[in-house]
């Protein structure tokens, strides 16, 4: 089982040799491909061979390339993720509206519950009953936008009313960084299951290549939020990025067992696709965790 997150920060040449990732810069390092779950390339001044790129996608290694702002910008994915991809995509276009609306209701209820859990852990003195009301009032498809109302209250409390989600601040930069990593995990997993990331159940932005990933990752955002609260103060530099990326090594509970985050997301995504194909809610397995 893959478990290592590899971060490239220096100008390097990346290649493949004997099924190992070879990193040549000031020094030479070799890492077995089978041990890597995520490769983050922070320094865009790298040379990477085609053999390695193919090996990364064949082994379903999440590969993220950061841009000039040092935030994740490019995901490396296979063109074909599954041998039955055409059939599965046809099924995706046929997912029933009521199944999708019910799934979105469950996702938002779970997301709000996870937000409440985080606030309850870090700010024990707060009265959080309003989050229970948001959960109870979430309708099919969340057409009354309980998610948006909950998010406004949540981030005001999260930031202690000192800044907003739009403020240029280290915590916001860290949130964006963590969310992009989470997005990459979901996008890679969706493609590996044979589905399109562009076709979401709620997100329908024509400029978003990752609508479905945006949908399914909502329940996991508070996990990134918690990491930001623990490790970010007033700066977001190299060391802080390592700590945010380390969330990939965290274990969560799914189906009554402990799994590394990447493996838990795979189980969760697979369970969602089974539900959308059958309408049987018993298939849905949400990850959970404690702080």
């Amino acid at each position: 089982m893959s478990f290592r997150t590899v971060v490239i920060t220096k100008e390097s040449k990346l290649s493949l040799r004997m099924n190992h990732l070879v990193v040549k810069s000031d020094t030479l390092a070799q890492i077995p491909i089978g041990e890597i779950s995520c490769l983050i390339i922070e320094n865009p001044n790298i040379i990477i061979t085609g053999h390695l790129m193919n090996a990364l996608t064949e082994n379903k290694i999440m590969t993220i390339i950061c841009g000039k702002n040092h935030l994740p910008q490019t995901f490396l994915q296979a063109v074909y993720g599954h041998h039955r991809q055409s059939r599965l995509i046809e099924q995706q276009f046929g997912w029933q509206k009521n199944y999708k609306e019910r799934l979105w209701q469950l996702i938002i209820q779970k997301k709000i519950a996870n937000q409440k859990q985080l606030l309850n852990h870090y700010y024990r003195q707060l009265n959080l009953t309003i989050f229970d009301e948001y959960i109870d009032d979430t309708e099919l498809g969340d057409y009354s936008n309980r998610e948006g109302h909950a998010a406004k209250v949540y981030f005001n409390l999260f930031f202690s009313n000192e800044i907003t989600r739009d403020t240029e601040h280290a915590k916001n930069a860290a949130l964006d960084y963590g969310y992009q990593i989470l997005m990459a995990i979901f996008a890679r997993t969706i493609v590996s299951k044979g589905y399109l990331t562009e076709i979401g159940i709620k997100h329908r932005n024509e400029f978003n290549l990752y609508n479905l990933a945006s949908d399914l990752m909502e329940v996991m955002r508070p996990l990134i939020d918690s990491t930001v609260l623990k490790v970010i103060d007033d700066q977001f530099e190299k060391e802080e990025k390592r700590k945010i990326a380390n969330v990939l090594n965290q274990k969560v509970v799914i189906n009554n067992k402990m799994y590394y985050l990447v493996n838990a997301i795979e189980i969760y995504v697979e369970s969602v696709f089974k539900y959308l194909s059958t309408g049987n809610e018993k298939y849905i397995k949400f990850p959970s965790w404690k702080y």
Side-chain angles (χ1 to χ4, degrees):
M1 182 182 293
S2 57
F3 62 91
R4 298 179 68 170
T5 300
V6 179
V7 182
I8 308 296
T9 59
K10 297 181 179 180
E11 294 187 20
S12 310
K13 179 181 179 181
L14 310 183
S15 59
L16 180 71
R17 183 173 184 272
M18 305 277 299
N19 212 31
H20 282 62
L21 164 65
V22 179
V23 182
K24 185 177 181 181
S25 56
D26 301 335
T27 58
L28 185 69
Q30 298 187 54
I31 306 166
I33 286 289
E35 292 184 2
I36 304 173
S37 65
C38 178
L39 173 64
I40 301 176
I41 301 173
E42 285 193 354
N43 191 325
N45 293 319
I46 58 101
I47 298 172
I48 185 169
T49 67
H51 290 301
L52 176 59
M53 288 191 287
N54 285 330
L56 292 169
T57 56
E58 287 169 3
N59 287 274
K60 300 179 181 179
I61 295 171
M62 181 179 62
T63 305
I64 303 171
I65 303 174
C66 296
K68 294 180 180 179
N69 58 0
H70 302 289
L71 291 177
Q73 179 170 309
T74 302
F75 306 151
L76 183 62
Q77 294 184 162
V79 175
Y80 298 105
H82 195 279
H83 64 281
R84 293 191 299 126
Q85 186 163 328
S86 295
R87 179 182 174 186
L88 293 170
I89 290 173
E90 185 176 354
Q91 291 180 0
Q92 182 177 2
F93 278 98
W95 286 337
Q96 294 188 31
K97 181 180 178 181
N98 59 318
Y99 293 176
K100 293 190 288 185
E101 289 181 339
R102 174 57 174 160
L103 176 61
W104 188 244
Q105 179 185 32
L106 293 172
I107 285 174
I108 295 310
Q109 288 175 325
K110 185 66 174 177
K111 176 185 179 180
I112 296 173
N114 288 339
Q115 289 174 328
K116 178 188 174 183
Q117 178 186 238
L118 180 149
L119 292 173
N120 191 54
H121 177 79
Y122 288 98
Y123 307 101
R124 297 181 183 276
Q125 74 280 9
L126 297 176
N127 182 346
L128 303 174
T129 55
I130 191 171
F131 287 89
D132 296 319
E133 296 176 12
Y134 288 140
I135 292 171
D136 292 339
D137 293 343
T138 302
E139 304 170 342
L140 287 172
D142 190 29
Y143 291 109
S144 61
N145 194 26
R146 295 302 92 184
E147 178 198 13
H149 290 283
K152 183 176 181 180
V153 176
Y154 170 75
F155 278 111
N156 283 339
L157 297 173
F158 180 89
F159 290 123
S160 300
N161 288 308
E162 295 174 357
I163 60 174
T164 70
R165 184 67 180 94
D166 298 323
T167 305
E168 289 190 12
H169 191 276
K171 287 183 178 178
N172 274 322
L175 288 173
D176 292 338
Y177 187 83
Y179 292 158
Q180 286 294 94
I181 290 176
L182 200 59
M183 174 85 75
I185 302 174
F186 275 93
R188 185 214 61 169
T189 304
I190 290 166
V191 170
S192 74
K193 299 297 180 183
Y195 296 90
L196 294 175
T197 61
E198 294 89 342
I199 309 301
I201 59 173
K202 183 68 173 182
H203 289 84
R204 297 185 180 89
N205 188 334
E206 64 178 305
F207 303 108
N208 183 3
L209 298 177
Y210 306 105
N211 283 311
L212 186 54
S214 300
D215 289 328
L216 302 187
M217 69 179 276
E218 290 293 346
V219 297
M220 305 292 292
R221 285 178 182 267
L223 191 61
I224 300 297
D225 302 343
S226 172
T227 305
V228 169
L229 278 180
K230 286 188 290 187
V231 306
I232 304 299
D233 189 10
D234 293 323
Q235 69 176 21
F236 183 57
E237 303 297 338
K238 184 184 298 185
E239 184 61 30
E240 287 76 25
K241 289 178 182 177
R242 300 294 175 280
K243 292 177 180 179
I244 297 297
N246 193 53
V247 72
L248 299 176
N249 295 318
Q250 182 168 335
K251 287 189 174 182
V252 298
V253 177
I254 191 166
N255 203 23
N256 297 317
K257 295 181 181 179
M258 296 288 291
Y259 291 91
Y260 284 108
L261 180 64
V262 174
N263 303 109
I265 287 175
E266 184 167 354
I267 295 170
Y268 161 51
V269 170
E270 179 68 27
S271 76
V272 166
F273 291 152
K274 285 183 179 179
Y275 161 73
L276 288 168
S277 298
T278 64
N280 187 343
E281 292 182 23
K282 292 182 180 179
Y283 282 126
I284 302 175
K285 297 179 175 66
F286 287 116
S288 62
W289 57 89
K290 293 183 179 179
Y291 302 113

